[in-house]
Amino acid sequence: MLRSNQQANRIAISLGDPAGIGPDIAIKSCLEESNDCRVYFTDPGLIEKRSAELGIPIRISEITDFEQASPLRPSTMQIYPIVNQNPVTTGKSDSDNTEHILECLNSALWHTTTGIADALVTGPINKAVINNGGVEFTGHTEYLAEALGVKTPVMMLASEKLRVVLATTHLPLDRVTPSITEHKIYEIANIVNRSLIELFKIPNPKICICGLNPHAGEDGHLGTTDKDVIYPAVQELIKYG
């Protein structure tokens, strides 16, 4: 749970693929002052090298105890040091970085689930690299769900005015249609409704459910999933308010 304005939020941040854009985003995110206590789980040497390549001077403050974290000072990055033994070349993903990527993620996750940190932020990961490194990895969504024992993870893309929830996550297109069931729609809609009320403090959420096929199937002429699966699920949801 995030803290009040009087207490700085403690945020654990993993950078994802060290050869990708995650380190760049992290460096640029430290340029302005913030009340947040941000701790980046990464290799200090990587940040030193990358900041030099970008021409953005960054002062690195290494901490091994999250309680030592302080609100962000401009151009200062607080790093929980996790050394990567594999040399990193910017822009060239390498499966030998797999162990380091997951070590950073797991450490940031542990600090969050134990309550030491208030929130977890994850940088972009090259899923193919991790799989080529010998670890089955579909995505952050599924990885965190398994780690937390969550049966049905729900991915939400959110802005101030609109929130979009996906019925499926990280599936090949030819597996999407068979995965859309009445039960799944009903389950996800209920999770979203409850979350909007409890977490977003929206007392009476309005939820729209999109069609799957072009023009929502045109009454079965452009696919039957909308007519046979989605419509009955929507009617069931309406029935129960």
Side-chain angles (χ1 to χ4, degrees):
M1 185 161 184
L2 296 184
R3 296 161 172 251
S4 67
N5 291 333
Q6 287 72 36
Q7 295 177 295
N9 296 320
R10 299 174 301 185
I11 304 174
I13 305 171
S14 67
L15 305 191
D17 190 336
I21 199 172
D24 298 28
I25 296 171
I27 291 167
K28 292 179 181 180
S29 73
C30 293
L31 299 181
E32 297 181 1
E33 188 173 4
S34 171
N35 188 46
D36 296 327
C37 294
R38 305 178 193 172
V39 176
Y40 298 81
F41 290 71
T42 185
D43 186 336
L46 169 73
I47 297 302
E48 186 176 8
K49 174 177 177 286
R50 188 64 189 132
S51 64
E53 291 174 348
L54 293 171
I56 302 175
I58 287 287
R59 177 180 175 273
I60 295 174
S61 174
E62 293 188 27
I63 62 172
T64 55
D65 182 352
F66 214 114
E67 297 297 332
Q68 300 171 359
S70 58
L72 177 66
R73 298 188 301 275
S75 299
T76 298
M77 180 180 285
Q78 297 177 111
I79 292 180
Y80 187 95
I82 300 176
V83 175
N84 184 7
Q85 302 299 333
N86 185 54
V88 174
T89 302
T90 302
K92 294 185 178 180
S93 293
D94 185 348
S95 59
D96 287 340
N97 290 321
T98 296
E99 183 178 347
H100 175 71
I101 293 170
L102 295 180
E103 186 178 357
C104 292
L105 174 58
N106 290 336
S107 185
L109 175 61
W110 180 86
H111 278 80
T112 309
T113 56
T114 55
I116 298 172
D118 299 308
L120 170 67
V121 173
T122 59
I125 282 182
N126 187 325
K127 301 171 186 63
V129 163
I130 297 178
N131 281 278
N132 291 338
V135 178
E136 188 174 337
F137 190 91
T138 308
H140 274 116
T141 308
E142 296 79 8
Y143 188 86
L144 295 176
E146 183 176 353
L148 298 172
V150 174
K151 174 176 169 283
T152 306
V154 177
M155 183 187 295
M156 176 184 287
L157 313 176
S159 69
E160 289 295 325
K161 294 183 179 180
L162 179 67
R163 297 167 184 86
V164 178
V165 169
L166 310 181
T168 63
T169 58
H170 301 124
L171 280 182
L173 195 56
D174 60 2
R175 288 175 53 194
V176 170
T177 299
S179 76
I180 302 294
T181 64
E182 287 186 50
H183 173 73
K184 171 170 276 190
I185 293 171
Y186 190 81
E187 182 181 28
I188 291 177
N190 274 286
I191 291 172
V192 172
N193 186 65
R194 186 169 63 250
S195 298
L196 291 173
I197 294 171
E198 296 176 358
L199 302 179
F200 290 87
K201 308 304 178 185
I202 300 173
N204 297 298
K206 296 179 180 178
I207 300 175
C208 298
I209 297 181
C210 296
L212 176 68
N213 293 296
H215 309 289
E218 289 284 11
D219 198 28
H221 294 283
L222 292 177
T224 59
T225 303
D226 300 275
K227 181 179 180 180
D228 295 343
V229 179
I230 298 177
Y231 181 77
V234 171
Q235 294 305 304
E236 190 75 4
L237 289 164
I238 292 172
K239 177 181 175 182
Y240 289 99

